Amino acid sequence: MAARRIPRSLLAFALLGGAVAALVTALGSLVTGIAAGIATWIVGLLLIRWAAGRGYLGDDHDPSRRRFLVWTGLGGLAWVAGGAAIGRIATKLTRPDAQTVQEAAASDLGAEYMELVRRAYHPGRSGDIQLLVSPFNSANYAAESLSLVPQDPRTSHASVWMYLERIPLVVYGPGIVNPSDSAERVSLADLAPTTARLIGFDGWPAGRDGRALPGLSVTGRTPKIVVTYVFDGGGWNVLRHWPNDWKNLKSLMGQGANYRNALTGSFPAITACAHATIGTGTFPRTHGVTGHNIRADAAGSRKTYREPGDADPADILVPTLADLYSHATGNRAWVGEVGYQVWHMGMIGFGGPDRGADQKPVGVYWNEGTGSWAPHNPQLFRLPARTPAADVFEEHQAVFNQRRPTWDQRFDPKGGQSPCCSPPVVEYQHDLLVATLDSEPIGVAGPSLLYTTYKSPDYTGHIYNMYSEWESLMLRTVDEQLGRLVEELEARYPGEYVLIVTADHGQCPLPDAVNGVRLDPIQLTRSIEEAFGAGPTSVVQNVWPSEVYMNVPGLRDAGASLDDVAAHIRHLTYRQNIGPYVPRSAVEQDLLDDPEFSAVFASTWLDRLGDLSRFGGTIYTGQDVDPGIAPASLNV
């Protein structure tokens, strides 16, 4: 009797192995499903062997019995494979049509917003999943999610909306640039070709994204110096919120060529992308700086430009105007950049790897570790011939500390970051600019190019939010340095300078105040892993505020594609994205069912994007999302 039951038991184990394979595969992993099915089948074989060794199967030399065992075993293996296939098919049938989901989101965004997305996408650099958070939402970093408090001021602006895209842009040059006012759409990509025109440089490459600013009327005089001055995070939504804190910029707009319809020009509206666009006259799809992180290798992403102080400008894929112009003059024309962070290096480009120590271009950032100015990479850049002494900075700090306000002390930056959101470092940057003008051969070998970015308004917005009084103070302080710089230029180069003033992006208002919600990268990772990560490896490599880097082979094991991931998280709600570590008092109870995203796009979908005209206009309208062209009166 036992001998007759054993073959049936073997058949049962074979069938069970296939069922296990089907179930585990349906839950997410082909590799794990097959492995589980085979493991079940092997257990059956081992039991049969054990039974055979004790004579329960009868005569082991019976050819018919041996054939039965062989064919049953092979059939079990086949059923394991078949079960896995059934599990894979069942999984696919339960997933939404990823193409339809992404097309619908793109149609909601409309052609204009989709053009901003396309300008930013660079295969091999961009994340595998592009995250477009809904208007007024803010994407956290993990540390922020873990320490969230009610009315938490910390925000990011890695988004696409017009309140972030709209920026001031004025070209001021008494005796060189005639005053004018324009409502024509322009972008940061237009600055490099405009500067090339102003200095008479005829080596600007054809076919780049930018164009010389339309309607710019000039007298024909060539400047000795063109200065590009950037309010980092000084977009129009910030200026409108603090209308009394930028009187010098407002004055220049009235006296120069003012462009009221200027945009950053690509998604996401963040510092690294924007500054490379200023420098190269191209968008991220061309210059390759798609964010503060780019694809490193199959293992995930890395920081763009690598390490401050040992920066690698090779991440910029095309030469900047400063590179081209310097090379065309045999490196005699002076070019330089004075900024706060490594991201600002994108304006000047590759530096001087083939030049002597004193011939390298000036390229400066603020080293938060040492509390001093330093070259981005001493092999490629240098400090100006003269820099203000450290005691000058200390004097600025002493004066400020006597009247330091006490707003928002809970989030005051600590350590090396502490100077970023207070006036002393801004004033010290102006001192460095003056020292640069005094000690460098400006205009000696032809027109000089000087780029400078004041990071403090943006840094302050990230830490305290743009609604904080700190933002007002820092915007006003940077504007004061602008007025001081105009005085310095007038004193040195009257009628022989051009000053281009702009911003790289706007800022995210406090989400709690404008019905926005926060995106938690920890919970987003969990959502993706629960749906697609049942295999032996994680499928999520890195999550950043506007993108996700994925383990694509791991996705294939789950029988999924990048498009499937995009479709799966497209309709994620705030309720589904709140971690257990977030205190109830910090949860917006009335917004639990609000969407985290307006769109989620896979790189594979963007690869085949095609003609954008089919997407038409956007459903995201209204003054809140798009404040519109800045008013001509400037009484904002």
Side-chain angles (χ1 to χ4, degrees), residues 398-604:
V399 171
F400 176 69
N401 288 336
Q402 292 177 358
R403 54 184 174 84
R404 181 183 177 89
T406 57
W407 312 308
D408 305 325
Q409 293 182 72
R410 176 168 48 174
F411 291 97
D412 284 353
K414 304 294 190 296
Q417 292 184 330
S418 60
C420 75
C421 303
S422 60
V425 77
V426 176
E427 296 162 342
Y428 194 42
Q429 183 169 331
H430 175 76
D431 297 334
L432 180 60
L433 287 175
V434 172
T436 300
L437 296 176
D438 285 342
S439 64
E440 294 292 326
I442 304 298
V444 172
S448 297
L449 304 181
L450 173 60
Y451 299 88
T452 188
T453 295
Y454 283 83
K455 183 65 181 176
S456 290
D458 179 60
Y459 227 142
T460 302
H462 283 297
I463 293 174
Y464 296 116
N465 197 257
M466 60 170 279
Y467 288 166
S468 168
E469 292 288 341
W470 280 108
E471 184 67 32
S472 170
L473 174 61
M474 298 316 299
L475 184 62
R476 184 166 65 252
T477 304
V478 173
D479 185 73
E480 288 169 353
Q481 309 321 301
L482 176 61
R484 295 174 64 194
L485 179 61
V486 171
E487 293 175 357
E488 297 288 348
L489 293 172
E490 280 289 347
R492 289 168 174 76
Y493 321 107
E496 295 182 299
Y497 73 90
V498 172
L499 177 61
I500 300 174
V501 186
T502 189
D504 55 348
H505 52 73
Q507 295 183 35
C508 184
L510 186 69
D512 313 65
V514 288
N515 289 328
V517 301
R518 299 174 189 273
L519 177 67
D520 182 347
I522 302 171
Q523 297 305 309
L524 180 61
T525 300
R526 178 189 59 79
S527 296
I528 297 173
E529 291 288 352
E530 284 182 352
F532 304 102
T537 60
S538 298
V539 294
V540 177
Q541 293 173 330
N542 311 105
V543 177
W544 302 114
S546 66
E547 57 190 354
V548 182
Y549 288 83
M550 300 290 299
N551 171 10
V552 176
L555 272 182
R556 293 195 192 103
D557 172 45
S561 65
L562 294 173
D563 294 280
D564 290 325
V565 177
H568 177 75
I569 63 175
R570 161 67 181 92
H571 295 292
L572 187 75
T573 65
Y574 177 48
R575 182 193 304 274
Q576 296 168 311
N577 191 241
I578 298 173
Y581 35 78
V582 177
R584 183 176 177 81
S585 58
V587 175
E588 298 296 323
Q589 299 293 333
D590 295 339
L591 306 177
L592 288 173
D593 295 318
D594 280 17
E596 291 283 0
F597 304 112
S598 60
V600 180
F601 298 125
S603 59
T604 44

Side-chain angles (χ1 to χ4, degrees), residues 120-460:
Y121 173 63
H122 189 288
R125 287 289 184 89
S126 297
D128 301 296
I129 304 293
Q130 296 296 302
L131 307 173
L132 281 71
V133 295
S134 295
F136 305 110
N137 289 2
S138 176
N140 287 351
Y141 289 94
E144 293 168 347
S145 290
L146 291 171
S147 58
L148 206 64
V149 299
Q151 300 287 310
D152 199 309
R154 297 169 295 176
T155 54
S156 69
H157 47 75
S159 192
V160 73
W161 306 110
M162 285 297 169
Y163 62 85
L164 299 173
E165 283 281 331
R166 293 194 177 276
I167 53 174
L169 175 56
V170 59
V171 184
Y172 175 76
I176 298 177
V177 177
N178 296 316
S180 61
D181 177 78
S182 174
E184 188 163 350
R185 174 63 59 80
V186 296
S187 79
L188 290 178
D190 299 327
L191 296 191
T194 298
T195 302
R197 176 191 171 195
L198 288 168
I199 64 176
F201 176 56
D202 58 7
W204 182 250
R208 292 204 174 183
D209 297 316
R211 55 175 179 163
L213 288 166
L216 185 69
S217 174
V218 296
T219 63
R221 181 184 296 180
T222 302
K224 279 190 175 180
I225 184 172
V226 176
V227 181
T228 301
Y229 188 105
V230 183
F231 283 67
D232 200 317
W236 270 112
N237 73 329
V238 179
L239 299 181
R240 289 177 192 231
H241 190 75
W242 301 105
N244 300 318
D245 293 320
W246 43 284
K247 64 179 183 179
N248 290 301
L249 174 56
K250 191 176 296 186
S251 175
L252 296 185
M253 288 176 174
Q255 300 175 60
N258 189 33
Y259 290 85
R260 296 182 288 109
N261 194 9
L263 302 182
T264 297
S266 65
F267 158 81
I270 57 175
T271 298
C273 306
H275 281 76
T277 294
I278 291 171
T280 65
T282 66
F283 295 118
R285 65 185 175 192
T286 302
H287 63 60
V289 179
T290 57
H292 295 151
N293 301 276
I294 60 175
R295 170 67 72 181
D297 50 35
S301 64
R302 63 167 172 82
K303 288 294 182 185
T304 303
Y305 304 137
R306 301 183 188 273
E307 293 299 321
D310 190 24
D312 183 5
D315 286 343
I316 308 170
L317 299 180
V318 295
T320 63
L321 169 62
D323 292 320
L324 295 168
Y325 174 54
S326 181
H327 179 73
T329 64
N331 299 323
R332 292 186 301 275
W334 188 91
V335 298
E337 175 266 330
V338 173
Y340 186 92
Q341 282 186 317
V342 68
W343 316 125
H344 302 146
M345 184 178 65
M347 295 188 294
I348 191 170
F350 296 104
D354 55 348
R355 291 183 246 175
D358 59 343
Q359 294 298 314
K360 298 183 188 302
V362 168
V364 179
Y365 82 107
W366 178 258
N367 187 327
E368 292 181 335
T370 62
S372 61
W373 303 110
H376 289 297
N377 182 329
Q379 301 300 314
L380 307 173
F381 303 99
R382 64 180 175 86
L383 291 170
R386 184 169 66 81
T387 59
D391 59 2
V392 174
F393 180 47
E394 293 169 0
E395 290 174 11
H396 290 314
Q397 288 181 307
V399 171
F400 176 69
N401 288 336
Q402 292 177 358
R403 54 184 174 84
R404 181 183 177 89
T406 57
W407 312 308
D408 305 325
Q409 293 182 72
R410 176 168 48 174
F411 291 97
D412 284 353
K414 304 294 190 296
Q417 292 184 330
S418 60
C420 75
C421 303
S422 60
V425 77
V426 176
E427 296 162 342
Y428 194 42
Q429 183 169 331
H430 175 76
D431 297 334
L432 180 60
L433 287 175
V434 172
T436 300
L437 296 176
D438 285 342
S439 64
E440 294 292 326
I442 304 298
V444 172
S448 297
L449 304 181
L450 173 60
Y451 299 88
T452 188
T453 295
Y454 283 83
K455 183 65 181 176
S456 290
D458 179 60
Y459 227 142
T460 302

